[in-house]
Amino acid sequence: MIATKNSAGWFGEILHAYRKLAIQPLVLLDNASEDGTKELLEREQIEFTRVIPEFPRVEAIVRLIPNHTDAQWVLRLDDDEFPSHALIDWIPDRLDSLDTNIVGIPRRWVRMGKNEHCEFSNHPLLKQDQDKMDIQWRLFRPDRVDYITDIHSPGFRASAGLVAPDEAFLVHFDWIIRSRQARARKVADYDRQQGGAGSDFHDLYLWEDSDLAAHGFQPMETTEFDRLARSIRID
């Protein structure tokens, strides 16, 4: 399931990539979207539902998920993320035997390197949980979690639990699809909603202004994301 808003500029390529993997996500479209995303979804014949969240952020959409599916498990992704092949293979083999309501998934923040190959950050801000990369609690039982709308939360209360292996990760394309100016506006918007919610993570959102040595950019071990990254990269 993917929550989205004003993503017409790149979401079509993301959806095409899902289609190649024979995956048809259910899309929850923020009713405030106004850039043609609705028309894109209709044109691509993607199943979607318009939603009206309590607050202008994805965490407020997550609590609406049980209203739109009766699935026992939901994997929630953002419109600027994509799963690794290893994650797609790892999930279905384990759902029936999981004795938990939530599963954490490592996430990598990527940029396009000079050789047109994706590389990811190892910034200390991304290694706060179990020494794994930016754990996102995204695989969950929608009828068994306690929903919240806090910024930078998964949309529900989560504590330490099962985490997918390092190779079963999500890729975060924020740096590729948004200009530095757009990301600066994102930081300011987060700060307006909650003091420090954006600026406390300045080095992540605006990597160009941070200490590059702290990021320790490292080439991805796989080329599976390179074509998609090139297709959605801003000029």
Side-chain angles (χ1 to χ4, degrees):
M1 183 169 287
I2 303 173
T4 191
K5 177 183 178 182
N6 292 336
S7 60
W10 69 87
F11 199 28
E13 294 294 336
I14 296 278
L15 294 171
H16 292 166
Y18 277 114
R19 187 168 290 148
K20 288 181 179 179
L21 296 174
I23 295 174
Q24 171 109 352
L26 172 61
V27 175
L28 298 185
L29 175 63
D30 191 314
N31 198 54
S33 188
E34 56 186 7
D35 74 335
T37 304
K38 174 179 177 292
E39 291 74 16
L40 167 69
L41 295 171
E42 292 173 338
R43 191 164 59 248
E44 296 291 337
Q45 299 183 331
I46 299 297
E47 181 183 3
F48 75 95
T49 300
R50 302 187 76 163
V51 295
I52 304 176
E54 182 181 2
F55 303 106
R57 52 182 181 261
V58 68
E59 294 87 354
I61 293 179
V62 173
R63 72 183 311 163
L64 304 177
I65 287 177
N67 300 335
H68 302 286
T69 183
D70 57 3
Q72 292 185 340
W73 285 93
V74 165
L75 174 62
R76 195 274 293 180
L77 286 85
D78 290 343
D79 56 23
D80 58 359
E81 297 174 333
F82 202 75
S84 67
H85 290 148
L87 177 60
I88 294 170
D89 292 339
W90 184 83
I91 290 175
D93 291 339
R94 285 155 181 82
L95 289 186
D96 290 341
S97 60
L98 288 179
D99 184 23
T100 183
N101 296 325
I102 60 171
V103 177
I105 300 173
R107 183 174 68 169
R108 297 187 180 185
W109 293 53
V110 300
R111 68 176 187 179
M112 186 67 78
K114 293 180 180 179
N115 60 353
E116 297 289 289
H117 178 55
C118 288
E119 51 189 33
F120 66 96
S121 170
N122 287 279
H123 197 282
L125 284 173
L126 297 174
K127 292 187 174 181
Q128 297 179 345
D129 295 296
Q130 303 185 23
D131 200 34
K132 288 180 176 284
M133 189 68 70
D134 192 26
I135 300 304
Q136 299 290 305
W137 302 99
R138 300 292 191 79
L139 181 62
F140 65 99
R141 294 180 183 266
D143 61 339
R144 298 186 183 180
V145 295
D146 182 15
Y147 291 97
I148 57 178
T149 60
D150 298 11
I151 295 178
H152 302 314
S153 77
F156 48 80
R157 301 189 189 284
S159 56
L162 175 68
V163 176
D166 289 342
E167 65 271 16
F169 58 85
L170 298 174
V171 164
H172 192 202
F173 287 125
D174 185 46
W175 296 338
I176 290 178
I177 65 168
R178 294 182 178 89
S179 67
R180 183 200 172 283
Q181 292 77 13
R183 286 180 273 120
R185 290 193 296 269
K186 186 177 180 179
V187 169
D189 180 61
Y190 275 141
D191 281 343
R192 279 192 295 270
Q193 294 186 58
Q194 178 182 314
S199 53
D200 286 351
F201 299 93
H202 175 277
D203 284 359
L204 294 184
Y205 292 118
L206 301 173
W207 67 268
E208 302 94 333
D209 302 343
S210 65
D211 178 5
L212 295 185
H215 282 279
F217 283 105
Q218 181 177 339
M220 298 283 280
E221 306 91 329
T222 173
T223 62
E224 66 183 276
F225 304 102
D226 290 353
R227 190 211 64 81
L228 177 56
R230 287 193 296 267
S231 71
I232 61 178
R233 178 175 52 185
I234 60 171
D235 295 328

